[in-house]
Amino acid sequence: GKDMLDKLDTFVKVGEPGLKSLPYLFGTDQPRKYLVLLHNDAELRPTGGFMTAFAIASVDNGQITIEQSGDIYQLDEKVANRLPAPDPIKKYLPNVPYWHLRDQNLSPDFKISMETFYPNYLQTGMPAVDGVIAVNTKLLVDLVRLVGPIDVPGYGKFSADTDKRCNCPQVFYALELLADTESPDIAKHAERKSFIGPMAGILTERLKSLSGTRLFAAAEVVLANIGAKNIQLYFPEPVLQGMMESLNLAGRVQDYAGDYLMIVDSNFAGAKTNAWVTYDAKQEISIDKDGIINKTLTLVYKNPQQDFQDVKTKLKLNGVFRDWLRIYVPQGSQLVETKGFDQGQQTSEELGKTVFEGFFVLNPLNQKTIVFKYKLPFKAARPYKLLIQKQAGAKDFEHKIFINGWQKGDFKLDSDHEFVQD
């Protein structure tokens, strides 16, 4: 409880400018309209997951109404002027000639991705909105675990209990069946993906009824999911966008005066392998007597689950993991060597960072080791400062830091983390 109160205190102090916008956000002066995007973090993409479903929500003086919901493919069918596929899509999704809405979150910076996505969304004829809210399945699982099993008429019962078929939460498994089982009847397929509206409505009502210690627990769940970037907001209006950034709700890639690392995975397999794939990271930092910094980053990816396909629906959940991997490091860093990639190794510049990237394939019941060796563009200063940003939707993972052979850090990365060593 004390830890949660400390987090809440920090959230309020740091995000005070953003908190002043709450009356506006909840429609106290006039109704607001929001586009809610469901990211499927089991098929990880740069901003948190494959954008599988959507809902349009209106908020009037705190009262939330889901106006409509559906399948992201429905929106794609309405886009008149299709964009040609960018290089990553051409390389790793070669049978996809266009840059569809569902793939327009290639930047790990949520604002940058939405500045591509939102203008193209407006081409569909859907209503303009005051803001975009992205949530992922991890948040939904946490909320169902908090409020208890829920029954959504027409879609079934959902709980956070472990489903033995997949060794995963039942609500996650049920959502995958609803969202991703293909059907020859397009109307029925789209109808299945409309579950996000009814489920959101029921969850909202259940959350409103919480009180006492359960309300306290709800605040803890929300704060944890904000830290993990399982909730991200984008506003076309610059002042509101700035306020969301002050609350750490905007999913931005940060500027930082010091060492920096962000690991970004893009699952281009279609299967929901990120439900089982894990990895751990080790940074070995070597500082010579002249202050020159050389680094070795070792990432070990593991898929401990065997091939998995639902017997009834034939939905393939676990299979081959095809990953476009990028690491963002201080701008001007020089790549010395990479190991473990199957193809696509290259260096580029983006978001004020240098980006090292490549592509690899991981089969079920196997592991893959990827190694980057690189030199930083500046000399060491005291204290040594390193910001590690967590990718939205990514699982928490073990992270170890060594400096000149001595272990200086060992932690689980569940949110952005600043490491400082005197």
Side-chain angles (χ1 to χ4, degrees):
K2 181 180 182 300
D3 180 62
M4 197 280 286
L5 287 174
D6 288 342
K7 289 179 182 178
L8 184 60
D9 181 62
T10 302
F11 179 77
V12 171
K13 288 178 179 177
V14 172
E16 184 177 358
L19 292 172
K20 293 178 180 178
S21 66
L22 289 179
Y24 176 96
L25 298 177
F26 285 102
T28 54
D29 56 342
Q30 66 181 62
R32 307 293 171 199
K33 197 180 296 287
Y34 300 102
L35 170 64
V36 181
L37 293 174
L38 177 62
H39 281 64
N40 189 342
D41 47 291
E43 186 179 343
L44 189 60
R45 294 291 178 89
T47 63
F50 179 75
M51 295 186 290
T52 187
F54 75 94
I56 302 295
S58 64
V59 183
D60 186 0
N61 202 27
Q63 297 299 311
I64 301 172
T65 303
I66 305 297
E67 295 184 354
Q68 61 175 301
S69 61
D71 177 6
I72 192 69
Y73 289 87
Q74 289 177 277
L75 294 184
D76 269 324
E77 289 297 320
K78 296 178 181 180
V79 176
N81 300 314
R82 299 189 184 278
L83 299 175
D87 284 343
I89 303 296
K90 290 178 183 176
K91 287 180 183 178
Y92 308 125
L93 290 173
N95 295 324
V96 180
Y98 300 110
W99 197 8
H100 298 295
L101 285 172
R102 58 185 180 269
D103 295 322
Q104 288 178 6
N105 59 342
L106 292 180
S107 173
D109 188 302
F110 188 64
K111 177 177 183 287
I112 300 300
S113 279
M114 289 301 102
E115 285 176 342
T116 297
F117 174 89
Y118 185 62
N120 288 289
Y121 157 84
L122 291 176
Q123 287 191 35
T124 66
M126 295 290 287
V129 295
D130 296 290
V132 180
I133 303 170
V135 299
N136 61 33
T137 55
K138 175 65 166 60
L139 174 65
L140 292 180
V141 170
D142 286 350
L143 292 177
V144 171
R145 182 175 289 113
L146 175 71
V147 304
I150 61 173
D151 194 353
V152 183
Y155 295 93
K157 192 171 184 178
F158 303 89
S159 79
D161 297 338
T162 299
D163 191 312
K164 293 181 180 179
R165 291 173 294 180
C166 63
N167 193 30
C168 61
Q170 181 273 339
V171 61
F172 165 79
Y173 187 67
L175 290 177
E176 295 303 328
L177 294 180
L178 283 169
D180 291 289
T181 303
E182 295 297 335
S183 170
D185 187 330
I186 300 299
K188 289 184 178 179
H189 181 55
E191 183 180 340
R192 264 202 309 274
K193 284 203 176 183
S194 298
F195 69 86
I196 186 174
M199 174 174 277
I202 292 173
L203 272 175
T204 299
E205 293 305 313
R206 293 284 288 274
L207 289 168
K208 284 180 181 179
S209 68
L210 296 179
S211 61
T213 56
R214 297 189 72 200
L215 189 61
F216 193 79
E220 189 173 22
V221 166
V222 171
L223 286 174
N225 277 279
I226 287 174
K229 302 178 190 174
N230 297 327
I231 307 169
Q232 299 173 99
L233 281 74
Y234 164 73
F235 286 85
E237 200 284 314
V239 173
L240 282 172
Q241 175 65 24
M243 290 181 174
M244 293 307 102
E245 292 178 15
S246 75
L247 287 168
N248 195 31
L249 277 165
R252 301 304 311 274
V253 171
Q254 302 293 333
D255 293 328
Y256 188 71
D259 196 1
Y260 177 91
L261 177 67
M262 186 177 191
I263 301 163
V264 180
D265 292 290
S266 299
N267 180 350
F268 282 142
K272 312 308 170 190
T273 45
N274 289 104
W276 296 280
V277 168
T278 64
Y279 62 81
D280 57 61
K282 180 172 70 172
Q283 289 194 66
E284 296 171 278
I285 303 167
S286 174
I287 305 173
D288 71 13
K289 61 181 181 180
D290 296 322
I292 295 173
I293 308 168
N294 286 283
K295 297 187 63 177
T296 300
L297 172 67
T298 303
L299 303 175
V300 180
Y301 290 75
K302 298 177 182 178
N303 187 342
Q305 179 81 11
Q306 63 184 9
D307 251 2
F308 179 69
Q309 187 174 42
D310 185 82
V311 175
K312 183 178 179 180
T313 65
K314 305 302 180 184
L315 172 64
K316 191 173 184 63
L317 289 176
N318 192 36
V320 176
F321 179 49
R322 302 177 66 253
D323 189 41
W324 174 39
L325 168 63
R326 290 172 288 173
I327 68 164
Y328 289 70
V329 298
Q331 190 169 40
S333 296
Q334 298 176 19
L335 182 63
V336 176
E337 182 183 15
T338 61
K339 296 179 182 178
F341 284 123
D342 298 322
Q343 62 172 300
Q345 298 96 313
Q346 67 179 50
T347 299
S348 60
E349 304 287 328
E350 183 186 357
L351 302 173
K353 316 291 182 191
T354 291
V355 185
F356 305 138
E357 70 173 76
F359 183 83
F360 70 90
V361 173
L362 173 64
N363 291 311
L365 301 178
N366 278 273
Q367 72 176 44
K368 189 86 169 182
T369 299
I370 307 294
V371 179
F372 297 90
K373 293 184 178 181
Y374 58 101
K375 177 182 175 181
L376 294 189
F378 48 78
K379 293 186 177 181
R382 300 189 69 174
Y384 189 95
K385 298 174 69 177
L386 163 67
L387 175 63
I388 308 171
Q389 284 204 269
K390 178 182 181 292
Q391 179 186 1
K395 287 181 178 175
D396 303 344
F397 67 94
E398 296 298 328
H399 204 108
K400 292 181 170 61
I401 298 175
F402 293 80
I403 299 180
N404 288 341
W406 295 89
Q407 184 169 326
K408 298 296 184 179
D410 186 355
F411 52 90
K412 182 171 285 190
L413 189 72
D414 57 5
S415 61
D416 292 350
H417 181 90
E418 185 178 37
F419 169 83
V420 180
Q421 179 66 40
D422 292 326

